[in-house]
């Protein structure tokens, strides 16, 4: 594993503030990354005008000295949330080495933090200086430029300087699929592109699923479809940014994986049952939040989204309260047959993609089984009534419609074991 750095400084945007302040230092110690808050930041605790907040109080409380890592972690999970995932790492490897990512090419976490763009998800950024904040930004490239850049990275072809800058802007965001960040006036978007490996229109399938989720009453991120160079692009409105008086403010975001105290290697232990317990204990308006989470679980099964892992659930954090973020990354996953399982456990050791098991789990969401069944029936009806209209809006081909309907959306396996 290649490394060029031994430490970096963590900068944070405090709630409702337009400029970041330095929060502390991240240092390498025996292949692990340890964090400690800076003295100047801790002095803000009693500052009524600009009070310090913990990056996440259950993991990194506002205390002096190096903070211990949670068991099994090699770096604080709440800081790892701000690091690039698979796609961003591929962009960085291409930028530095001009190669396609494989098992023999990798950098350490500090390199990924410091070599990725500054407009990352959430309210953190990383610098070599504790006193001067210099954002790593790039020009606001066109979708055509971004598509060309993504295609070259997928093929392992080195980027030109111009295309390098075009894609660098989005190198800090998560996920495995080709994507980038764009800005249009007072809106910021994540742009998702089709991949050369796609067997069907994944971009349009996610658009339909996200729009359908909203029609089912789920608080889902806003989406729209665009085209560039004859290819479809999905635009997802960013909910971790707010434009106030022509100035961008950032909102802190924590993945469910961080709330669980797990890392990616331990994600198989994540469960909706545990997330429901955390919501009851820590979230504002827990009963309403539990119903929302339950509705998302039902919809994931009905639309065939089995990629509902713990990084695809998140909470907004203001230093005191947690709020479930709008739903995102709801995308039907390819499957050839009936039986399927969710990425997160539902209840106990059950993760099978069947509504019957979800209804049995209703009490842990403070719902009666009768109410749970109503939620399921209402969503099923919305999907049946709006499927054709959304397919027409997305201009989804007849071939892809046949591929998605009855296989991803409303797969018969989802209804096995249900009683009238």
């Amino acid at each position: 594993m290649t490394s060029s750095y031994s430490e970096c400084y963590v900068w944070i945007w405090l709630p409702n503030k337009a400029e970041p302040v330095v929060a502390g230092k991240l240092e390498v110690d025996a292949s692990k990354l340890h964090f400690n808050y800076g003295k100047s930041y801790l002095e803000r605790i009693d500052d009524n005008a600009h009070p310090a907040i913990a990056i996440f109080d259950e993991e990194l409380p506002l205390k002096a000295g190096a903070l211990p890592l949670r068991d099994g972690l090699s770096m604080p999970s709440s800081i790892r949330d701000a690091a690039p995932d698979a796609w961003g790492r591929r962009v960085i490897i291409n930028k530095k080495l001009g190669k396609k990512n494989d098992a023999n090419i990798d950098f350490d976490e500090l390199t990924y933090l410091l070599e990725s763009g500054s407009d990352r998800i959430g309210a953190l950024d990383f610098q070599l200086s504790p006193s001067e904040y210099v954002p790593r930004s790039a020009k606001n490239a066109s979708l055509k430029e971004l598509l060309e850049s993504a295609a070259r990275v997928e093929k392992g072809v080195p980027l030109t300087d111009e295309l390098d800058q075009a894609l660098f802007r989005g190198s800090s965001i998560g996920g495995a699929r080709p994507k980038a960040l764009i800005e249009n006036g007072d809106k910021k978007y994540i742009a998702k592109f089709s991949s050369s490996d796609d067997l069907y229109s994944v971009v349009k399938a996610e658009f339909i699923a996200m729009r359908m989720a909203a029609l089912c009453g789920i608080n889902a991120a806003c989406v729209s479809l665009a085209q560039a160079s004859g290819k479809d692009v999905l635009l997802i409105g960013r909910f971790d940014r707010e434009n106030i008086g022509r100035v961008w403010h950032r909102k802190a975001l924590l993945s469910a994986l961080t709330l669980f105290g797990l890392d990616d290697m331990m994600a198989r232990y994540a469960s909706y049952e545990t997330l429901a317990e955390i919501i009851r204990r820590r979230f504002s308006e827990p009963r309403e939040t539990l119903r929302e989470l339950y509705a998302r679980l039902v919809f994931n099964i009905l639309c065939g989204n089995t990629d509902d892992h713990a990084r695809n659930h998140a909470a907004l954090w203001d230093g005191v309260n947690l709020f479930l973020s709008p739903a995102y990354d709801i995308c039907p996953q390819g499957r050839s047959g009936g039986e399927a399982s969710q990425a997160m456990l539902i209840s106990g050791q059950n993760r099978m993609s069947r509504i019957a098991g979800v209804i049995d789990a209703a009490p842990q969401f403070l719902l009666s089984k009768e109410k749970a069944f109503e939620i399921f029936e209402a969503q099923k009806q919305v999907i049946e009534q709006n499927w054709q209209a959304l397919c027409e809006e997305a201009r989804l081909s007849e071939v892809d419609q046949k591929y998605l309907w009855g296989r991803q959306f409303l797969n018969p396996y989802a209804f096995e074991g249900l009683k009238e």
Side-chain angles (χ1 to χ4, degrees):
M1 188 169 288
T2 305
S3 177
S4 307
Y5 308 99
S6 60
E7 63 181 31
C8 75
Y9 292 90
V10 180
W11 289 65
I12 187 171
W13 276 256
L14 295 171
N16 302 314
K17 301 300 176 185
E19 300 295 332
V21 296
V22 65
K25 183 193 290 188
L26 199 59
E27 293 182 280
V28 177
D29 181 17
S31 77
K32 294 185 176 182
L33 289 178
H34 292 271
F35 176 79
N36 65 277
Y37 288 105
K39 181 181 178 182
S40 62
Y41 189 72
L42 291 175
E43 289 173 348
R44 291 177 175 271
I45 293 175
D46 298 320
D47 185 338
N48 292 329
H50 309 91
I53 66 168
I55 293 174
F56 180 39
D57 57 357
E58 292 190 14
E59 181 180 46
L60 299 176
L62 289 170
K63 296 180 180 179
L67 299 173
L69 291 169
R70 286 172 159 179
D71 290 344
L73 300 188
S74 59
M75 69 180 295
S77 186
S78 52
I79 291 178
R80 171 63 180 85
D81 281 342
D85 283 333
W87 174 252
R89 293 174 189 236
R90 287 180 67 176
V91 174
I92 292 166
I93 288 169
N94 186 295
K95 175 182 174 67
K96 293 180 72 66
L97 303 177
K99 296 180 180 180
K100 189 174 182 177
N101 194 7
D102 61 43
N104 299 317
I105 304 173
D106 202 4
F107 297 106
D108 72 327
E109 291 295 335
L110 274 184
T111 299
Y112 287 124
L113 292 174
L114 287 165
E115 295 287 343
S116 50
S118 289
D119 197 14
R120 65 189 72 247
I121 300 300
L124 300 180
D125 195 23
F126 307 92
Q127 300 278 306
L128 289 173
S129 170
S131 57
E132 182 182 12
Y133 179 77
V134 181
R136 296 178 298 281
S137 58
K139 67 172 185 175
N140 190 26
S142 68
L143 288 176
K144 181 179 179 181
E145 290 174 305
L146 294 169
L147 275 166
E148 186 177 346
S149 302
R152 291 173 72 95
V153 168
E154 280 201 297
K155 295 175 183 177
V157 178
L159 294 171
T160 63
D161 289 343
E162 183 179 12
L163 293 180
D164 184 349
Q165 287 299 305
L167 206 59
F168 173 72
R169 186 182 182 92
S171 61
S172 56
I173 53 180
R177 292 187 58 80
K179 59 177 65 69
L181 298 176
I182 62 172
E183 184 175 330
N184 183 13
D186 62 349
K187 302 290 184 183
K188 288 197 175 191
Y189 302 93
I190 295 173
K192 284 189 175 182
F193 312 125
S194 58
S195 170
S196 58
D197 298 328
D198 289 345
L199 299 178
Y200 61 98
S201 181
V202 176
V203 165
K204 288 183 176 180
E206 182 170 347
F207 168 79
I208 291 171
M210 290 289 290
R211 287 289 305 277
M212 193 75 79
L215 291 175
C216 287
I218 291 169
N219 177 23
C222 296
V223 294
S224 60
L225 279 176
Q227 274 213 335
S229 301
K231 294 185 178 181
D232 297 305
V233 181
L234 178 67
L235 300 179
I236 305 108
R238 293 187 64 175
F239 48 77
D240 63 330
R241 295 290 184 270
E242 187 175 10
N243 192 294
I244 302 175
R246 298 184 180 180
V247 176
W248 288 106
H249 292 241
R250 304 193 182 196
K251 298 180 180 181
L253 201 71
L254 300 169
S255 72
L257 202 63
T258 291
L259 303 182
F260 293 140
L262 303 174
D263 67 5
D264 293 283
M265 299 299 292
M266 298 184 283
R268 65 185 181 278
Y269 301 115
S271 75
Y272 283 95
E273 185 175 23
T274 303
L275 184 53
E277 292 172 359
I278 294 171
I279 288 171
R280 289 197 296 269
R281 176 172 56 87
R282 284 296 316 261
F283 277 58
S284 296
E285 301 181 341
R287 186 174 290 274
E288 292 81 356
T289 303
L290 286 170
R291 189 195 182 287
E292 170 74 13
L293 179 64
Y294 188 82
R296 296 182 189 188
L297 171 55
V298 171
F299 186 76
N300 282 336
I301 291 177
L302 293 183
C303 78
N305 175 35
T306 54
D307 193 37
D308 55 340
H309 57 78
R311 286 204 183 278
N312 280 344
H313 298 276
L316 294 163
W317 166 245
D318 64 5
V320 178
N321 300 302
L322 289 166
F323 308 88
L324 196 64
S325 78
Y328 58 95
D329 281 1
I330 301 177
C331 185
Q333 302 298 302
R335 88 204 233 189
S336 56
E339 185 171 313
S341 59
Q342 299 305 118
M344 287 211 315
L345 293 162
I346 296 170
S347 179
Q349 295 304 305
N350 173 42
R351 65 172 79 243
M352 304 312 294
S353 305
R354 296 193 303 176
I355 294 298
V358 176
I359 289 177
D360 286 341
Q364 69 196 33
F365 296 86
L366 303 184
L367 292 169
S368 67
K369 291 187 178 181
E370 291 75 18
K371 184 62 179 177
F373 198 83
E374 288 177 15
I375 292 171
F376 149 65
E377 281 194 314
Q379 288 192 12
K380 182 173 178 291
Q381 188 175 42
V382 168
I383 292 170
E384 291 170 338
Q385 292 176 347
N386 292 277
W387 167 254
Q388 198 57 50
L390 284 177
C391 287
E392 291 173 5
E393 182 180 347
R395 297 184 179 179
L396 187 68
S397 71
E398 186 176 347
V399 171
D400 279 351
Q401 287 186 45
K402 290 180 178 179
Y403 178 78
L404 291 170
W405 186 254
R407 180 180 280 120
Q408 279 77 18
F409 284 87
L410 304 189
N411 188 299
Y413 179 73
F415 311 119
E416 285 189 8
L418 275 179
K419 298 178 180 179
E420 290 296 332

